[in-house]
Amino acid sequence: MEKITLPAIVIYGAQMVAVSVYYAIKTLYRDVKVLCFVVKDQFSNPTYIDGIPVVTLDYFQSKNESGIFREEIKVYIATPENHHADIMADLRKRGINNYICIDSKKEAMLMEQYFSQISDFPLLRSCPKGRQKADISVYMSQFYRDHPLKSNGKIPDWIQPIQAGASLTDVRIADIRDNQGENISERNVNYSELSAMYWVGKHRASAYLGLFHYRRFLDIKEEDLYRLQENSIDVILPFPTISFPDIGVHHKRYLKESDWEAMKTALQECAPEYSDALPEIFSGKYFYNYNLFIAKGHIFKEYCNWLFPVLERIEELSIPKGKERADRYIGYIGENLMTLYFIYHRNDYRIVHTGRLMLV
């Protein structure tokens, strides 16, 4: 991540990536002022973040043209990476050329710098390298209608593609499929990558098991596999994204309130101790996105054995029920439950963190 030296910047975006980038810059570069957050429109976006205004791009452009914003101010594009090309094109059309994209690599580097200062979120690479490589199998969830990737990087042999939702099509894109043996493949329309997670939990055994997506990986290099065993690492999670004012607002962007209430009821019935912990944990600001993780094999399976009965009960309680819809809502709920589960167990497991890389 290049050093930020400008006295003032503008952040394009107002959701989880932008908020995370903002807090990292605020912590790491105290001499840099964030003037505002810029969005295409105000729909579903906050008015202020940490007291800083969220303004539309039209408003920002008019103020920039009138000289209120100086020409040397740089725009930091902090949105999901698949939107960057369209945003850059729009900025250029408006005569705004002083910008930088915070892609997943820059975001990972920035968040590593940020979390290196926060003891509650230990870093994977702060652990010394050992002599023995861990026995590890990570499964990369793929769906037959996934958009082709522009990048064609080599996938390490410890990452194995698995076709999620294989029961929904005759098209075959991977040798391993989530409809072999005991499975919930046909429910992939709601479970998304979680149908692959279910299959791995039922059918695979390794010292470490994990789940990636076809375009979202944890930033783990070959040398990092030598850090796991000798440092007794239990779980690897991505650096959490940061929400404002707290992670309780996250679900409102992706879930109907009735589905959130179904989740709370299911927790009360199936896992009351987690239900009791939910209000305190979700009053914090750190959230684990994307259902990405690696864990010791028995912890991976323990998590699956906890998660899927709760999700099945949510399907029964939600209106309409899970079998009557196809909107990936269970996958989104899974992110919330992953956050709940691993923060609840933060003192029980040795959890370390690394960046999340986005392939485009």
Side-chain angles (χ1 to χ4, degrees):
M1 182 71 189
E2 68 179 30
K3 184 172 177 59
I4 299 172
T5 57
L6 294 173
I9 66 172
V10 167
I11 295 177
Y12 191 113
Q15 297 298 329
M16 57 187 181
V17 178
V19 174
S20 298
V21 168
Y22 161 71
Y23 276 107
I25 290 173
K26 177 182 177 181
T27 301
L28 298 168
Y29 302 98
R30 299 183 184 277
D31 57 335
V32 173
K33 181 179 181 181
V34 177
L35 293 180
C36 63
F37 295 84
V38 175
V39 292
K40 184 73 172 179
D41 58 59
Q42 286 286 6
F43 177 72
S44 77
N45 285 309
T47 306
Y48 288 88
I49 296 173
D50 196 28
I52 296 173
V54 179
V55 303
T56 64
L57 184 54
D58 288 338
Y59 178 86
F60 170 74
Q61 183 182 20
S62 67
K63 295 301 181 184
N64 194 49
E65 290 172 349
S66 68
I68 293 177
F69 291 146
R70 301 188 308 279
E71 179 67 25
E72 64 268 24
I73 290 174
K74 182 173 284 189
V75 178
Y76 280 70
I77 301 174
T79 67
E81 197 166 342
N82 52 314
H83 298 302
H84 286 187
D86 290 339
I87 292 170
M88 288 188 292
D90 193 15
L91 290 176
R92 288 194 296 267
K93 285 180 182 178
R94 296 168 179 266
I96 302 170
N97 297 300
N98 195 9
Y99 58 77
I100 183 172
C101 289
I102 306 298
D103 61 21
S104 62
K105 290 183 179 179
K106 291 186 178 73
E107 181 188 352
M109 292 172 64
L110 183 64
M111 300 318 295
E112 183 163 355
Q113 293 173 35
Y114 172 77
F115 282 108
S116 68
Q117 302 188 22
I118 300 178
S119 59
D120 288 343
F121 298 92
L123 276 60
L124 169 63
R125 294 198 178 107
S126 67
C127 301
K129 184 178 175 182
R131 294 186 297 272
Q132 187 168 351
K133 180 180 176 180
D135 170 34
I136 183 169
S137 295
V138 173
Y139 294 84
M140 179 181 67
S141 175
Q142 297 178 305
F143 189 65
Y144 79 104
R145 290 189 301 196
D146 287 337
H147 296 298
L149 297 173
K150 297 176 184 176
S151 54
N152 292 309
K154 187 178 184 301
I155 298 174
D157 58 9
W158 50 273
I159 300 177
Q160 303 179 60
I162 178 172
Q163 181 173 349
S167 288
L168 305 177
T169 179
D170 292 329
V171 177
R172 295 293 173 247
I173 60 172
D175 293 334
I176 302 172
R177 300 184 294 276
D178 72 347
N179 65 341
Q180 300 167 321
E182 184 179 352
N183 69 85
I184 57 170
S185 179
E186 76 286 349
R187 289 147 75 182
N188 174 268
V189 290
N190 288 324
Y191 278 69
S192 197
E193 65 276 347
L194 295 182
S195 67
M197 182 192 296
Y198 181 94
W199 188 91
V200 173
K202 291 294 184 182
H203 297 283
R204 285 296 189 256
S206 286
Y208 288 87
L209 291 170
L211 184 71
F212 290 175
H213 306 177
Y214 87 107
R215 63 191 181 99
R216 294 190 183 102
F217 285 46
L218 293 182
D219 182 15
I220 296 177
K221 298 177 174 59
E222 190 75 15
E223 67 179 36
D224 295 324
L225 302 184
Y226 291 84
R227 304 181 196 276
L228 305 185
Q229 187 169 307
E230 294 188 33
N231 291 287
S232 300
I233 291 171
D234 292 317
V235 183
I236 308 173
L237 292 171
F239 293 125
T241 54
I242 308 174
S243 296
F244 178 84
D246 55 49
I247 63 175
V249 304
H250 179 82
H251 73 273
K252 296 178 181 178
R253 188 171 174 84
Y254 300 98
L255 295 169
K256 297 190 301 184
E257 198 60 32
S258 60
D259 292 334
W260 183 253
E261 291 302 318
M263 185 202 77
K264 290 166 62 178
T265 300
L267 280 172
Q268 290 169 357
E269 295 177 2
C270 302
E273 65 274 28
Y274 295 87
S275 175
D276 293 342
L278 180 69
E280 179 181 354
I281 289 175
F282 274 69
S283 67
K285 61 183 182 180
Y286 297 109
F287 188 88
Y288 292 119
N289 284 94
Y290 307 119
N291 295 312
L292 295 175
F293 77 118
I294 294 172
K296 285 183 175 176
H298 72 277
I299 294 174
F300 188 102
K301 292 175 182 291
E302 287 169 6
Y303 174 60
C304 289
N305 291 338
W306 175 86
L307 175 68
F308 287 103
V310 176
L311 295 178
E312 185 173 0
R313 182 58 179 147
I314 293 169
E315 285 191 279
E316 296 170 350
L317 292 168
S318 58
I319 302 173
K321 297 182 184 299
K323 62 184 179 181
E324 300 167 352
R325 57 200 287 188
D327 58 1
R328 299 196 298 171
Y329 79 111
I330 294 294
Y332 292 127
I333 289 174
E335 294 179 321
N336 289 273
L337 293 178
M338 173 172 277
T339 299
L340 174 64
Y341 185 87
F342 285 112
I343 293 181
Y344 182 89
H345 287 288
R346 61 188 177 273
N347 295 322
D348 302 320
Y349 301 144
R350 184 170 189 196
I351 299 174
V352 297
H353 300 79
T354 190
R356 169 195 49 81
L357 300 179
M358 180 87 168
L359 304 182
V360 295

